[in-house]
Amino acid sequence: MDPVTEALNEFHRRISALKDGEVASYIPQLAQADPDDFGISITSMAGRSYHAGKADTPFTIQSVSKPFVYALALTDLGPEEMLGHVDAEPSGEAFNAISLEPGTGRPANPMVNAGAIATTALVAAADPEERDARILEWLSAFAGRRLDYDEEVYASEAATGDRNRALAYLMRSAGSLAGDPYAVTGSYFRQCSVRVTAADLAVMAATLAKGGRNPVTGERVVAQDVAVRTLAVMATCGMYDGAGKWLLNVGLPAKSGVAGGLIAASPGRFGVAVYSPPLDAEGNSVRGVAALTEMSQQFALHLMNTPVHLTATVTDTVHAARSSRARDAERTAALDGDRRLIAVVGAQGDLEFTETEQLLNAVAQAVPAAPGGMVLDLTAVTGISRGPATMINAALRDLERRGHQVAVAVQEPLLGRAEGHPGFWAATRDDAVAWCEDRFLAQAASPPSP
Ligand code: GLN
């Protein structure tokens, strides 16, 4: 057995012994659930999934649908308009609380029912059928397979969901619900009755963790900025009145549902889901909370516990580089007699702030006496984020101002972005060094007039 499955089995074995909590019964059909059902699934960023226990047992998604439908409305409306309709404040209240802003009636928290119902109403559609179809298709894209409804749970909630209907009517009277309250709550109950397994939910969470790209199907389901905002809302609002404690103890964006589903996303690492119907007083799966608390501690997943990447960004420094360019005797002699030095600093990996700060420090150490040549060999660099690119450009401009020849070697995709950047951009270190030599030769041939 592979080590990940083994670890999941170990959690599963230990946590199976937990018999606390009550299966939800306010939606009558949910009371049918087997309290012993317990499954855990993980999906990695490479799209591999690992399971323990009842990972293929279907259950209704319930409130775990909320972050995904939030992402859909956010995609339709954009961040500003979305916030105008539904705020993003952890209300610290129960999932079915009447949590509306005094005056405007705007729901505070999109992860509790009032805010979630208002969010469902914002999904762009000509009629409720189209809205339901869009939501089902959207959830399916996150899961990477065609999902369907549990019609019995839907009928059961639609027949008894007076409190949610009341919330919707209240919001309409306050002017904060778009659309007909009865139809909107119908769509909300539909969305809650979508049938999933722990295995599905792990893929859905992994899609958020991967910035909106489904790691199994490879499909970009949602834009990166929408995925990030959705995870942020999950982190602050996802666990109802247990949200603060959750962030303290587990430290991952998460969402629970009243049928016993619980997801968490470890950004850039994996999505995880637990299914176990008995709930604690806050309405979160008892075994789900226990499993994720243990996992987070054992694998150091807490978001605030980000590893410091003082990794080997700088690969090498050369103080007096020469290219392999073949040159005639005259030019070779000219270069040999040239006292100016060309330094090279090589770097690798993704350049974020920490890495770039290291790189530029190494450059500062390596710069030869002016005038000279400075080459940044970034051919082993796989990505440069926007802020770091600005830092690098500023450093290059400064070197030019101090009279240096400046060249950068980068991989093909980055080469395309060279336009407008200071210095000469080449595809290889050798070309970059040769360009500096060429500049030296050109200057020696036509010395600047005194
Ligand atoms: N459909 C459920 C409700 O509105 C969802 C609540 C939940 O999962 N916490 O009551």
Side-chain angles (χ1 to χ4, degrees), residues 26-27 61-64 66 95 113 157 164 188-189 192 240 256-259 283:
Y26 75 98
I27 299 173
I61 188 168
Q62 297 298 339
S63 287
V64 182
K66 289 171 183 171
F95 71 91
N113 291 7
E157 185 166 19
N164 284 326
Y188 169 76
F189 297 149
C192 287
Y240 311 126
S256 65
V258 80

Side-chain angles (χ1 to χ4, degrees), residues 93-117:
E93 287 167 315
F95 71 91
N96 57 5
I98 302 170
S99 155
L100 307 177
E101 187 176 70
T104 64
R106 178 177 62 151
N109 177 340
M111 298 293 109
V112 306
N113 291 7
I117 292 166

Side-chain angles (χ1 to χ4, degrees), residues 59-60 62 64 256-262 274-279 283-285 288:
F59 56 95
T60 50
Q62 297 298 339
V64 182
S256 65
V258 80
L262 173 60
V274 178
Y275 169 55
S276 169
L279 308 179
N284 300 319
S285 166

